[in-house]
């Protein structure tokens, strides 16, 4: 498989997430302009050769041997990453055999000529909720029968259910007994947030989050407050900007509060309060005490006030269209785009136009939090799948642990570029930032070499690392997500936006249906 495909998929992660959030199961077409020819772009054989030449330190003191099976749902990002990682691992350990089993349909990638005469690729992604349910049912059946893969990519799987009934191994035991493992290399607060009663059933190799950016040309006198790198609630953000709304025009303001539509805002608020509405650990739903209804009413107030982004069809074509010359006080950007804030004038800067207006005066603010003091994060990857668990029935648990550590390692991350998000391994993140600064990250090059940074590039890396480390230290909440419940909530809320159900009736419906799923 071409390395370019892996890199292209990673750069498309945010586009895929935005498109997949529709949840209707229709095919998704994503167009990517091809980069200019690059002599360093390599295929998988060259990746193996680079690994052989440059990775010389042993991973463990004793040779490893045995057979591993790994199961994952996502074929677009996780499948290629795991396949190449398995080949690299078995090159270092010839006595190991690894089988990667990927469930979802492989995306179709076609080369096309674009309107401007350049060449590009279109990725068509099919499937929908039914495919997810089929995969979950398959893994459920295997685990309940005492079988199943040695390693599970916990992309869409209800890992919390497996942990509750003893089907996943407690990874804390491996961490405590592994003399080569230093938890401070992996950000303890993140692992603590994922743990339950000091038991850890999944190990993330990347995490994901969205950071706040604000338009400094609109909020000139508020820069000290917004650049303090705090966690803000939506209410706080809108209170800061409300006095500075421009003059009204036909259909709204000259600029708007945030580059979001109502469903996007709802999803963000749901993420902030998810552990309040859906207490998976205690199997409780909490939609009818008024907080959920108040949240819906608040979003309706924002819509009525003209604070939100216009719908795509009213504003621009979906992708590749002409963005409105509109300014927004705030926008939420993917963690993968954070480095762009520190190299705006650099030719190596990754460029993606998401049609959200003018961004040239944007500055980094902070993160989103809720009124309870929760600052949540998610897992990296298209389905939040860059985290792994070990089957409690596996006869190869020690070998599985060694492979999971390998997936998070500095050397592997810089060679393969894991799916989305920010590496949990601290040194891997810094090296990735260096690759971003030099442009090496986006070229497909995979040589493991010392990067000679200029003073300007090093300053960008330092500024980025200061900010991202501050953000990573702020995270204190991991939202345990049940795919079935989340799909249920999002589908029900679409009925609300369509005017088919009231907020109170929706809350009652979700209270009943979510409670039923939690306790089935």
């Amino acid at each position: 498989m071409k390395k370019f495909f892996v890199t292209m998929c990673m750069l498309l992660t945010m586009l895929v997430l935005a498109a997949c959030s529709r949840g209707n199961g229709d095919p998704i077409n994503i167009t990517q302009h091809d980069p200019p020819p690059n002599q360093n772009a390599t295929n998988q054989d060259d990746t193996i050769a680079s690994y052989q030449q440059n990775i010389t330190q042993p991973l463990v003191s004793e040779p490893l041997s045995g057979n591993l099976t790994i199961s994952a749902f996502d074929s677009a990002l996780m499948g290629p990453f795991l396949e190449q990682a398995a080949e690299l691992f078995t090159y270092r350990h010839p006595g190991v055999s690894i089988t990667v089993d990927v469930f979802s349909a492989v995306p179709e990638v076609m080369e096309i000529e674009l309107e401007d005469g350049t060449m590009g690729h279109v990725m068509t992604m099919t499937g929908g909720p039914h495919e997810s349910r089929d995969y979950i049912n398959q893994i459920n059946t295997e685990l309940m029968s005492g079988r199943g893969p040695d390693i599970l990519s916990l992309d869409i799987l209800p890992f919390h259910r497996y942990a509750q009934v003893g089907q996943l191994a407690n990874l804390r035991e491996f961490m405590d007994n592994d003399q080569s493992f230093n938890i401070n290399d992996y950000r303890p607060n993140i692992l603590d947030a994922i743990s339950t009663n000091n038991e850890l059933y999944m190990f993330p190799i990347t995490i994901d989050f969205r950071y706040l950016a604000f338009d400094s040309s609109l909020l000139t006198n508020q820069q000290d407050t917004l650049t303090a790198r705090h966690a803000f609630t939506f209410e706080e953000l809108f209170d800061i900007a409300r006095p500075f709304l421009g003059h009204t025009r036909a259909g709204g303001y000259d600029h708007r509060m945030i580059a979001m539509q109502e469903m996007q805002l709802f999803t963000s608020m749901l993420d902030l309060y998810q552990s309040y509405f859906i207490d998976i650990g205690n199997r409780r739903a909490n939609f009818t005490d008024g907080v959920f209804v108040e949240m819906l009413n608040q979003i309706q107030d924002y819509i009525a006030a003209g604070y939100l982004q216009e719908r795509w069809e009213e504003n621009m074509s979906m992708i590749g269209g002409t963005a409105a010359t509109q300014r927004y006080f705030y926008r939420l950007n993917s963690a993968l785009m954070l480095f762009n804030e520190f190299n705006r004038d650099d030719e190596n800067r990754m460029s993606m136009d998401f049609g959200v207006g003018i961004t040239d005066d944007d500055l980094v603010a902070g993160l989103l939090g809720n009124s309870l003091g929760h600052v949540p994060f998610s897992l990296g990857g298209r389905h939040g799948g860059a985290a792994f668990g070990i089957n409690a029935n596996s006869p190869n648990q020690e070998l599985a642990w060694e492979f999971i550590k390998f997936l998070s390692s500095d050397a592997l991350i810089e060679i393969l570029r894991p799916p989305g998000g920010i590496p949990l391994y601290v040194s891997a993140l810094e090296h990735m930032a260096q690759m971003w600064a030099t442009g090496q990250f986006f070229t497909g090059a995979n040589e493991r070499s010392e990067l000679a940074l200029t003073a300007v590039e090093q300053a960008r890396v330092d500024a980025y690392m200061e900010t991202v480390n501050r953000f990573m230290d702020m995270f204190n909440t991991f939202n345990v997500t049940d795919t079935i419940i989340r799909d249920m909530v999002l589908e029900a809320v679409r009925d609300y936006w369509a005017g088919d159900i009231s907020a109170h009736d929706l809350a009652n419906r979700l209270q009943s249906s979510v409670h039923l799923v939690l306790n089935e």
Side-chain angles (χ1 to χ4, degrees):
M1 181 174 293
K2 293 288 188 181
K3 174 66 186 303
F4 167 71
F5 178 73
V6 179
T7 304
M8 179 186 75
C9 285
M10 183 174 180
L11 299 182
L12 289 174
T13 298
M14 289 169 288
L15 289 175
V16 174
L17 281 168
C20 288
S21 66
R22 297 177 302 173
N24 55 18
D26 295 335
I28 301 166
N29 295 303
I30 303 170
T31 303
Q32 168 73 26
H33 286 264
D34 285 357
N38 170 37
Q39 298 301 319
N40 291 324
T42 57
N43 59 27
Q44 184 169 337
D45 292 337
D46 292 332
T47 301
I48 301 298
S50 173
Y51 182 81
Q52 178 180 2
Q53 179 179 358
N54 296 298
I55 309 299
T56 58
Q57 294 298 317
L59 299 173
V60 292
S61 58
E62 297 294 334
L64 297 176
S65 62
N67 300 320
L68 285 178
T69 56
I70 305 171
S71 181
F73 175 77
D74 181 17
S75 64
L77 298 175
M78 189 55 64
F81 172 73
L82 288 175
E83 288 167 3
Q84 292 195 31
E87 187 161 356
L88 292 173
F89 190 79
T90 54
Y91 167 78
R92 183 64 186 83
H93 301 287
V96 175
S97 174
I98 299 178
T99 300
V100 177
D101 183 17
V102 182
F103 186 86
S104 65
V106 178
E108 182 180 3
V109 181
M110 298 180 294
E111 186 176 39
I112 62 170
E113 183 175 353
L114 303 176
E115 293 181 359
D116 59 4
T118 61
M119 300 303 295
H121 283 78
V122 171
M123 180 192 299
T124 300
M125 309 187 73
T126 58
H130 67 281
E131 192 176 34
S132 303
R133 287 192 292 268
D134 289 345
Y135 177 66
I136 293 172
N137 288 337
Q138 173 185 302
I139 297 297
N140 288 348
T141 301
E142 292 177 353
L143 293 180
M144 285 188 294
S145 65
R147 299 180 291 110
D150 300 292
I151 298 175
L152 295 163
S153 173
L154 300 172
D155 36 17
I156 65 171
L157 296 175
F159 84 95
H160 53 93
R161 295 172 181 263
Y162 303 155
Q164 288 171 348
V165 296
Q167 292 172 330
L168 291 178
N170 178 10
L171 301 182
R172 287 280 181 186
E173 297 178 3
F174 294 95
M175 293 160 55
D176 292 342
N177 296 324
D178 186 345
Q179 294 183 356
S180 69
F181 183 85
N182 183 354
I183 193 171
N184 293 317
D185 292 336
Y186 294 89
R187 302 188 187 276
N189 65 305
I190 299 296
L191 296 176
D192 287 343
I194 295 175
S195 300
T196 302
N197 298 324
N198 201 37
E199 296 179 345
L200 182 69
Y201 295 99
M202 64 154 63
F203 194 90
I205 63 171
T206 62
I207 70 163
D208 201 6
F209 60 88
R210 289 188 294 171
Y211 68 91
L212 285 161
F214 72 97
D215 191 322
S216 61
S217 70
L218 298 177
L219 296 170
T220 305
N221 296 328
Q222 289 69 41
Q223 290 190 26
D224 288 344
T225 298
L226 290 169
T227 57
R229 307 290 194 266
H230 294 310
F232 298 91
T233 66
F234 279 109
E235 294 85 351
E236 290 171 335
L237 291 171
F238 290 0
D239 284 345
I240 290 172
R242 190 175 291 111
F244 304 97
L245 281 171
H247 299 292
T248 57
R249 59 181 173 88
Y253 294 103
D254 290 331
H255 37 262
R256 300 199 177 198
M257 279 287 187
I258 196 161
M260 283 183 171
Q261 299 167 29
E262 61 267 22
M263 195 63 185
Q264 294 169 313
L265 181 58
F266 170 80
T267 302
S268 293
M269 286 190 170
L270 178 64
D271 290 340
L272 292 175
Y273 287 92
Q274 177 174 298
S275 59
Y276 180 82
F277 296 136
I278 308 168
D279 185 349
I280 287 180
N282 294 307
R283 301 187 180 189
R284 288 200 303 260
N286 190 28
F287 288 91
T288 54
D289 67 347
V291 177
F292 184 74
V293 170
E294 182 181 352
M295 186 178 80
L296 291 176
N297 290 337
Q298 186 178 45
I299 296 174
Q300 291 285 21
D301 290 342
Y302 292 156
I303 295 171
Y307 288 175
L308 304 186
Q309 181 183 4
E310 295 171 309
R311 294 181 181 273
W312 291 108
E313 59 269 22
E314 297 170 357
N315 192 36
M316 58 175 292
S317 58
M318 180 64 179
I319 295 177
T322 302
T325 56
Q326 182 153 6
R327 290 189 177 276
Y328 297 88
F329 286 105
Y330 307 106
R331 62 177 42 79
L332 282 176
N333 294 332
S334 167
L336 195 61
M337 301 295 290
L338 180 59
F339 192 82
N340 272 8
E341 307 293 349
F342 304 98
N343 67 336
R344 289 183 173 276
D345 58 345
D346 186 77
E347 62 181 9
N348 292 323
R349 182 174 184 263
M350 181 172 65
S351 177
M352 282 190 179
D353 179 7
F354 292 93
V356 289
I358 300 169
T359 62
D360 52 352
D361 293 313
D362 282 5
L363 294 176
V364 178
L367 299 172
L368 276 175
N370 66 24
S371 59
L372 304 175
H374 299 164
V375 184
F377 63 92
S378 60
L379 300 178
R382 185 164 70 98
H383 295 282
F388 301 88
I390 297 177
N391 187 344
N393 292 314
S394 167
N396 305 301
Q397 293 187 24
E398 293 288 346
L399 180 59
W401 170 245
E402 290 296 336
F403 185 69
I404 288 175
K405 283 197 304 178
F406 177 68
L407 292 177
S408 69
S409 66
D410 191 348
L412 186 74
I413 285 176
E414 78 174 65
I415 290 174
L416 291 187
R417 330 294 202 256
I422 299 298
L424 197 67
Y425 197 64
V426 178
S427 64
L429 173 58
E430 185 165 7
H431 200 91
M432 185 178 287
Q434 294 169 352
M435 296 172 75
W436 280 332
T438 61
Q440 184 180 354
F441 187 84
F442 304 109
T443 64
N446 57 29
E447 294 83 356
R448 181 172 172 79
S449 58
E450 294 299 325
L451 299 175
L453 272 65
T454 66
V456 172
E457 289 170 342
Q458 186 61 56
R460 290 169 178 159
V461 170
D462 292 343
Y464 168 80
M465 289 301 298
E466 190 280 330
T467 297
V468 76
N469 284 332
R470 183 189 295 253
F471 285 173
M472 296 289 271
D473 289 342
M474 290 167 60
F475 293 123
N476 56 26
T477 303
F478 172 65
N479 286 330
V480 179
T481 300
D482 186 301
T483 303
I484 294 174
I485 292 176
R486 188 171 180 84
D487 287 346
M488 179 191 303
V489 172
L490 295 179
E491 191 62 35
V493 169
R494 289 186 178 89
D495 292 340
Y496 171 74
W497 296 128
D500 297 333
I501 189 173
S502 70
H504 286 281
D505 288 344
L506 174 61
N508 289 328
R509 180 206 292 184
L510 289 175
Q511 180 70 23
S512 175
S513 57
V514 172
H515 176 81
L516 182 63
V517 173
L518 286 173
N519 291 277
E520 63 183 5

